Amino acid sequence: MSNPILERAAQHGVTLEMRGAVAVVTLRRPAKRNALSDSLIEAIRDTFQNLPAEAKAAVIDGEGEHFCAGLDLSELKERDAGEGVHHSRNWHVALDAVQYGRVPVIAALHGAVVGGGLELASAAHIRVADESTFYALPEGTRGIFVGGGGSVRVPKLIGVARMTDMMLTGRVYNAVDGERLGFAQYLVPQGTGLDKAIELATRIATNAPLTNYALMHALPRIAEQPADHGFLTEALMSSIAQSAPEAKARVRAFLEGKAAKVQKTN
Ligand code: 1HE
């Protein structure tokens, strides 16, 4: 790896390895259950802002038995209001680099996905959970509040009522319930989450880049817009995507019987 920014991120516990067109980003702080220190958050930001040009999709994983134990509580300092705002905003920048970066991101979840770890997972575009996964927001019981974008992103997955319950009561969801509620889109046997995430990312990497861009950057914004604005943004985005030579080639291939049909599944 020749990029000094990625080398520094690796020294701070976030490594990047290319598997074909897929960048596999790994949190490597297993002794602390990948708890997110300030330097780990910076390393996540720097990694996703500096993905190699050949990366067309990414996977985020955590070394060890847990995906991520959330905020590094040993760094929880007495901050005045201004410092607290900046700390939270630094998380927002880092997790925005995941959600609104250059390529779709698949999170490979296992073990604890809690607090800021759930906030990080929520910034990914798809979540694959293995059977060991559990989800919690212990901020409520620690006397604090989410600060890494969780109040915006988590309700989009499971709704405000369920998030409120999790934070008020310390409720923990297991992998099966988590998939049913919408935390994860895929539930796989223990130990197979990373393989499944790489398989999905490899497929996503073959999509037309403008389609992936539209799904990452236009769709979530359209979903926030009043319907009237959303219809216009959709019309603009779809016309831009359709006008790309790659879209025309793909449609022509289907019409000439050279592209796969949609297959019914069981
Ligand atoms: C930590 C952290 C951490 C572990 N900060 N050091 N997050 C939480 O409240 C979750 C706190 N962690 C846990 O509940 C458990 O550690 C786990 C369920 C994740 C894993 O349990 P286990 O039995 O595998 O590990 P452990 O023995 O509890 O932890 C191993 C070590 O990691 C231990 O340190 P050691 O020096 O004694 O070996 C733990 O202290 C350390 N460790 N989790 C610091 N989170 C932007 S705002 C976001 C706000 C939040 O995220 S609040 C939720 C914080």
Side-chain angles (χ1 to χ4, degrees):
M1 200 189 297
S2 56
N3 183 332
I5 298 174
L6 294 177
E7 276 168 23
R8 199 187 55 169
Q11 283 157 14
H12 286 100
V14 178
T15 62
L16 184 146
E17 182 203 338
M18 291 306 297
R19 299 266 195 105
V22 177
V24 178
V25 176
T26 309
L27 309 180
R28 294 201 186 276
R29 209 184 167 214
K32 297 290 179 188
R33 308 315 186 240
N34 299 319
L36 297 168
S37 58
D38 287 350
S39 63
L40 214 57
I41 284 290
E42 256 176 51
I44 291 170
R45 179 199 67 200
D46 290 347
T47 302
F48 280 93
Q49 286 179 346
N50 292 278
L51 292 177
E54 64 268 30
K56 304 284 184 256
V59 165
I60 184 160
D61 186 29
E63 186 181 352
E65 283 175 24
H66 301 281
F67 174 73
C68 178
L71 175 72
D72 185 329
L73 293 168
S74 72
E75 288 187 356
L76 193 64
K77 306 177 192 95
E78 280 298 320
R79 296 187 181 95
D80 66 24
E83 290 162 346
V85 168
H86 287 303
H87 180 257
S88 171
R89 299 297 284 157
N90 286 341
W91 275 62
H92 294 161
V93 171
L95 272 52
D96 266 15
V98 176
Q99 179 172 6
Y100 295 118
R102 209 170 45 71
V103 302
V105 179
I106 323 297
L109 306 181
H110 59 285
V113 181
V114 304
L118 181 50
E119 296 184 283
L120 171 61
S122 304
H125 302 92
I126 297 177
R127 283 152 294 280
V128 175
D130 88 3
E131 286 163 344
S132 70
T133 306
F134 57 98
Y135 308 88
L137 289 169
E139 286 90 338
T141 52
R142 308 256 183 260
I144 53 179
F145 188 62
V146 284
S151 55
V152 172
R153 293 192 178 100
V154 173
K156 289 189 168 53
L157 302 180
I158 60 163
V160 172
R162 288 201 184 91
M163 177 171 174
T164 306
D165 174 32
M166 287 176 80
M167 292 196 68
L168 285 176
T169 67
R171 184 169 185 169
V172 179
Y173 284 109
N174 65 24
V176 173
D177 289 340
E179 191 249 357
R180 190 173 52 80
L181 296 185
F183 276 130
Q185 286 72 43
Y186 296 85
L187 176 62
V188 297
Q190 187 163 348
T192 66
L194 179 60
D195 287 348
K196 181 69 183 179
I198 292 174
E199 177 197 318
L200 293 169
T202 302
R203 176 172 177 170
I204 289 166
T206 67
N207 290 342
L210 261 179
T211 301
N212 283 348
Y213 183 85
L215 288 166
M216 295 172 60
H217 291 265
L219 179 60
R221 266 89 181 213
I222 292 170
E224 298 289 323
Q225 289 178 336
D228 193 32
H229 297 194
F231 291 136
L232 177 64
T233 313
E234 179 187 273
L236 297 174
M237 189 69 243
S238 69
S239 69
I240 292 168
Q242 276 168 34
S243 66
E246 179 152 3
K248 294 192 194 313
R250 285 173 183 240
V251 173
R252 197 165 49 243
F254 173 77
L255 294 174
E256 290 169 358
K258 294 176 191 155
K261 289 186 195 181
V262 177
Q263 299 285 344
K264 188 178 167 200
T265 57
N266 294 317

